[in-house]
Amino acid sequence: MAVRKPPITTREYWAPGHAACAGCGCAAALRLATKAFSEAMEEKYGDPNAFAIAQATGCMEVVSAVFPYTAWKAPWVHVAFENAAAVASGVEAAWKKVGRKGKILAIGGDGGTADIGMQALSGMLERWHNVVYLMYDNEAYMNTGIQRSSSTPYGAWTTTSPPGKLSIGEDKPKKWVALIAAAHQIPYVATASVANPYDYIRKMKKAAKIDGPAFVQVQCTCVPGWRAPPEKSIEITRLAIETGVWPLFEIENGDFHNIKIQAPGGGAKVKREGGRVVAIEFKKPIEEYLKLQGRFKHLFKQPEAIDQLREQIKAMWKVLGVEVTLPKPEE
Amino acid sequence: MPIRKVMKANEAAAWAAKLAKPKVIAAFPITPSTLVPEKISEFVADGELDAEFIKVESEHSAISACVGASAAGVRTFTATASQGLALMHEILFIAAGMRLPIVIAVGNRALSAPINIWNDWQDTISERDTGWLQFYAENNQEALDLILIAFKVAEDERVLLPAMVGFDAFILTHTVEPVEIPDQELVDEFLGEYVPKHAYLDPSKPITQGTLAFPAHYMEARYTVWEANEAAKKVIDEAFAEFEKRFGRRYQKIEEYKTDDAEIIFVTMGSLAGTVKEYVDMLREKGVKVGVAKLTVYRPFPTEEVRELAKKAKVLALLEKNVTFSVGGALFQDFSRALINEKEKPVIVDFILGLGGRDVTFKDLDEALGIAQKALAGEEFDEVNWIGLRKEIL
């Protein structure tokens, strides 16, 4: 009887026994990332283990490395909140000098990347270290109890962007770190989602095999932070893609004129010109994504805030060179 | 044969780095230590130093990259000063807690505000509780030698702590003196290759570094840093002895000068020791019984040596280029602690002087001596004295 090869290696680097919540999208993101890395290293160097991880302080760090235990089956180092990219720079330099073949994976959440770690990230990318930086984007500071980050989307409730008489929640548009990373003209930048694992794995493998810096931003749910049921994690992130909230794209060598946009699914109509996506007509309203999450619950009493979010999403897609139509829910 | 070259302390520090053969250097330029990474980048550019030189975007990333490299298992070096060291502050604790033997050369400089690029010791003194070993150089030769010794001690398996070597801004960093550059072969024998057994990132032997510790383990982790500091005392003595044997230059945690029959002993660090030695020579000609004790090692604090020193004098006059508010200088605190339970102890008088590059003149030292002599005579004196203050502009 023929045995089908598993779609991704059965080797585990993010081992059972970590303390992440049930339904944690980010735990899935890290597990898949390390598996993809392993496959890439096997294909590139013949050694599936030829990588090390430098990780920022954050929820994925505290749940995985509680002394005297560890969830990591790969060489792993954590130093502080803002410096995963700089630490990775040092590790990469050391490996280069001792002639160790392999690649460094730097991991940070949105707080450790979009905010406090932005400078170190920029330095690492600009200096062209042979590092893949993975930003797991759960859109707030989840480690310290759900405070807003610059990657928190407009309208979202967090403990520091509470809705109130004078507030609709977070009042600034989401910062798109992938676009900032791409401005360094590095070989590879991509966004990904745990709801689309094959695409995510492909991107992580591609990033890992490149000689030079790469940046991948993966959206992943936070069950307590998003006020979402654990069993809906993948459904929610899939809806983010299908409603236009989370674009999937790749940018190579900082070429903003040649951004590879991926078709979102969910019945969306994609218009191409010369192979390039120029317009997307989404069929599912963003409300379908928002309504599954308690963090957006208050917006449904203020539909103008949802319209504002729609406009921001359109503006973001425009930066990517795509005109989008975002429907309103049927009355 | 060792060669002698005329050079600034910054160049001496770069030469020390070259001789120590670190595999990774990460640095960000800051006055007055900028010449250290500049000179190192020349060594690397000319193929004289086979290292990765990471030109980072900040001192925070400089030390972070050093932590990464050291955690990966290689010898690592950087240089900084003042605000740069302050920007590293957070990671200094982490480097010590992770037991990574990184060495930093520091051009000792005042901290803002007001911004000031000149010498005092506030930068390194402010890092005295990070767990790092601290050495202070009196001259450019000591800057070179102490960096080599710092690597030797830091990497010793009984210690495994990072170390900083301070040398005074401009007074040393930018002043040329003849410096003996030891033979590479002898330095190689002295230092050996760094082969870590505790910190490495090897895929064939994966380990987790920099974990989270709950209350059940945190105190014990901190205690190991305490223990390592204690262990460093003996290791430093051994390293000094071995250095003397190989290179002929003698170092001690506290170097004494004309202290044997002294009634008043000035205690100081860094280049100021040179000035005070001259001053003491002058006083000795006049028959004044004074001496000097220079702290070459400040962390670990040489408590035993301080107690021995205290037996020799009636007054210890501490000359400090740093301030610990509402206390005096940091040394005043350290000396008080070392002597508080001694049955017989000298009077300790503290002097704060030379901040922000203010010259310390013989006139200033006369003022300090006058106060110390009052203390010696049993008259009233202030425990903490700011010397050389321009009261007319206050």
Side-chain angles (χ1 to χ4, degrees):
Chain A
M1 194 176 78
V3 178
R4 276 185 69 184
K5 188 177 175 285
I8 183 77
T9 175
T10 53
R11 289 185 293 269
E12 297 287 355
Y13 296 91
W14 165 263
H18 62 74
C21 306
C24 173
C26 298
L30 264 53
R31 181 169 173 233
L32 290 178
T34 46
K35 282 171 172 278
F37 237 76
S38 173
E39 289 199 343
M41 294 302 101
E42 187 170 34
E43 288 165 23
K44 184 160 183 173
Y45 300 113
D47 177 4
N49 302 326
F51 64 101
I53 300 165
Q55 190 163 334
T57 311
C59 48
M60 288 299 98
E61 171 262 323
V62 301
V63 302
S64 64
V66 182
F67 184 85
Y69 307 106
T70 180
W72 293 102
K73 290 185 172 180
W76 183 94
V77 60
H78 156 258
V79 180
F81 189 19
E82 68 286 50
N83 64 355
V87 173
S89 301
V91 175
E92 184 252 12
W95 275 29
K96 200 169 162 190
K97 192 39 67 189
V98 299
R100 193 187 285 288
K101 281 196 164 53
K103 184 103 183 178
I104 312 304
L105 172 61
I107 301 172
D110 48 298
T113 307
D115 297 335
I116 196 170
M118 179 55 84
Q119 177 185 310
L121 172 66
S122 179
M124 187 276 279
L125 297 178
E126 162 272 317
R127 289 189 304 270
W128 223 254
H129 289 280
N130 193 23
V131 172
V132 176
Y133 193 103
L134 174 66
M135 170 182 171
Y136 65 92
D137 190 358
N138 56 21
E139 304 188 331
Y141 296 112
M142 302 312 188
N143 189 38
T144 40
I146 323 163
Q147 296 81 27
R148 64 85 66 179
S149 79
S150 59
S151 195
T152 298
Y154 180 84
W157 160 89
T158 72
T159 55
T160 53
S161 61
K165 280 181 196 162
L166 304 174
S167 165
I168 48 91
E170 172 57 30
D171 63 350
K172 306 290 189 303
K174 182 183 176 76
K175 183 199 268 187
W176 282 92
V177 182
L179 297 175
I180 299 171
H184 293 76
Q185 302 185 56
I186 56 172
Y188 187 68
V189 168
T191 57
S193 168
V194 281
N196 199 342
Y198 293 111
D199 176 65
Y200 175 43
I201 289 163
R202 175 183 70 80
K203 285 168 175 168
M204 283 307 293
K205 281 183 72 170
K206 190 171 174 182
K209 284 185 180 179
I210 282 166
D211 291 316
F215 178 89
V216 177
Q217 181 174 356
V218 60
Q219 192 200 29
C220 44
T221 40
C222 172
V223 168
W226 291 17
R227 297 287 191 256
E231 69 277 14
K232 298 264 185 199
S233 280
I234 299 303
E235 187 181 333
I236 290 168
T237 29
R238 182 173 296 123
L239 279 166
I241 302 166
E242 292 176 348
T243 59
V245 170
W246 188 260
L248 291 176
F249 61 84
E250 292 170 283
I251 305 175
E252 292 184 43
N253 304 312
D255 185 357
F256 285 90
H257 297 292
N258 188 24
I259 302 175
K260 284 176 210 154
I261 306 284
Q262 284 157 259
K269 278 190 185 168
V270 177
K271 189 181 162 198
R272 288 188 171 83
E273 277 175 14
R276 182 187 160 96
V277 175
V278 293
I280 302 174
E281 194 182 323
F282 286 92
K283 291 295 173 203
K284 291 184 182 175
I286 62 171
E287 280 84 347
E288 286 199 28
Y289 168 72
L290 303 176
K291 73 183 179 192
L292 291 176
Q293 305 169 59
R295 64 174 174 157
F296 294 117
K297 196 170 81 181
H298 58 283
L299 294 186
F300 288 90
K301 291 174 201 152
Q302 290 165 287
E304 68 280 7
I306 299 181
D307 289 338
Q308 176 74 25
L309 179 58
R310 246 189 287 274
E311 290 310 308
Q312 285 178 12
I313 292 167
K314 279 185 195 169
M316 179 270 298
W317 278 99
K318 205 165 182 178
V319 173
L320 298 172
V322 183
E323 290 288 338
V324 298
T325 313
L326 299 175
K328 288 196 176 191
E330 285 172 27
E331 299 294 325
Chain B
M1 284 293 288
I3 51 165
R4 276 168 83 81
K5 276 170 89 100
V6 170
M7 64 174 78
K8 300 164 182 173
N10 277 337
E11 289 172 284
W15 270 98
K18 180 176 181 287
L19 290 164
K21 298 181 178 170
K23 294 235 169 35
V24 174
I25 295 143
F28 187 77
I30 180 167
T31 302
S33 62
T34 311
L35 185 59
V36 182
E38 282 176 348
K39 190 76 192 164
I40 286 171
S41 67
E42 283 175 24
F43 287 143
V44 173
D46 291 337
E48 291 178 36
L49 171 58
D50 183 21
E52 283 293 312
F53 181 29
I54 314 176
K55 292 138 197 164
V56 281
E57 83 296 339
S58 74
E59 287 90 349
H60 194 285
S61 283
I63 187 64
S64 298
C66 285
V67 166
S70 192
V74 303
R75 186 173 289 160
T76 307
F77 178 79
T78 184
T80 192
S82 183
Q83 306 299 126
L85 188 66
L87 187 56
M88 292 180 178
H89 175 72
E90 176 202 22
I91 310 302
L92 298 180
F93 276 92
I94 297 173
M98 289 174 71
R99 310 291 298 276
L100 301 174
I102 301 158
V103 172
I104 301 185
V106 183
N108 280 117
R109 171 189 146 185
L111 281 162
S112 301
I115 188 166
N116 173 294
I117 59 170
W118 294 273
N119 166 242
D120 65 35
W121 309 323
Q122 193 68 54
D123 51 3
T124 45
I125 287 286
S126 298
E127 306 302 342
R128 67 188 182 276
D129 297 335
T130 53
W132 283 58
L133 311 174
Q134 289 199 356
F135 299 84
Y136 288 81
E138 180 181 332
N139 53 45
N140 297 356
Q141 184 70 57
E142 290 195 10
L144 188 152
D145 292 351
L146 289 172
I147 289 170
L148 297 178
I149 291 164
F151 273 115
K152 176 89 176 166
V153 177
E155 291 172 1
D156 191 292
E157 283 184 23
R158 293 166 289 176
V159 179
L160 293 172
L161 285 176
M164 56 182 75
V165 177
F167 40 91
D168 291 340
F170 297 99
I171 301 168
L172 299 181
T173 58
H174 286 63
T175 303
V176 294
E177 290 180 333
V179 172
E180 187 175 301
I181 302 166
D183 281 343
Q184 183 68 60
E185 272 180 25
L186 287 181
V187 174
D188 290 347
E189 284 171 23
F190 177 66
L191 282 184
E193 198 167 340
Y194 173 52
V195 187
K197 291 180 188 160
H198 76 298
Y200 49 81
L201 292 169
D202 179 351
S204 68
K205 289 183 288 179
I207 62 168
T208 295
Q209 296 184 67
T211 62
L212 169 78
F214 278 11
H217 295 110
Y218 179 82
M219 260 185 88
E220 285 70 19
R222 296 296 291 167
Y223 182 72
T224 66
V225 178
W226 170 279
E227 265 190 328
N229 259 274
E230 292 304 303
K233 292 176 178 177
K234 182 164 170 266
V235 177
I236 289 169
D237 287 338
E238 290 172 13
F240 282 165
E242 190 183 336
F243 191 88
E244 184 181 1
K245 208 170 90 186
R246 288 184 188 275
F247 303 101
R249 287 183 290 279
R250 185 168 189 228
Y251 289 95
Q252 292 170 285
K253 287 184 217 131
I254 297 185
E255 181 196 304
E256 295 183 28
Y257 183 74
K258 299 190 176 175
T259 54
D260 281 348
D261 61 338
E263 291 177 320
I264 297 169
I265 297 178
F266 289 107
V267 179
T268 193
M269 309 197 300
S271 67
L272 185 55
T275 309
V276 184
K277 282 175 190 168
E278 292 242 359
Y279 179 67
V280 161
D281 284 344
M282 190 193 78
L283 292 177
R284 283 282 177 177
E285 280 176 24
K286 294 178 187 168
V288 187
K289 288 184 175 179
V290 286
V292 188
K294 175 184 81 174
L295 269 75
T296 302
V297 179
Y298 175 60
R299 284 290 182 270
F301 190 71
T303 306
E304 294 76 19
E305 286 82 354
V306 164
R307 286 177 183 154
E308 287 307 308
L309 178 75
K311 287 175 188 163
K312 294 183 176 173
K314 296 193 173 98
V315 174
L316 292 179
L318 313 182
L319 304 172
E320 307 203 56
K321 294 189 185 180
N322 70 89
V323 184
T324 297
F325 292 102
S326 75
V327 170
L331 290 185
F332 188 48
Q333 203 170 14
D334 293 315
F335 272 67
S336 303
R337 174 261 162 190
L339 301 177
I340 191 164
N341 289 326
E342 296 298 286
K343 278 187 188 132
E344 288 188 24
K345 47 184 171 263
V347 172
I348 309 173
V349 198
D350 198 25
F351 299 98
I352 292 165
L353 73 183
L355 301 186
R358 177 74 51 87
D359 277 344
V360 178
T361 64
F362 279 13
K363 200 173 147 231
D364 295 325
L365 297 176
D366 280 342
E367 193 182 336
L369 178 70
I371 297 166
Q373 283 173 329
K374 270 176 125 189
L376 182 66
E379 294 169 33
E380 272 192 28
F381 65 97
D382 289 334
E383 280 184 333
V384 181
N385 303 274
W386 288 64
I387 300 295
L389 266 192
R390 294 178 58 200
K391 295 201 171 114
E392 72 279 9
I393 62 168
L394 287 175

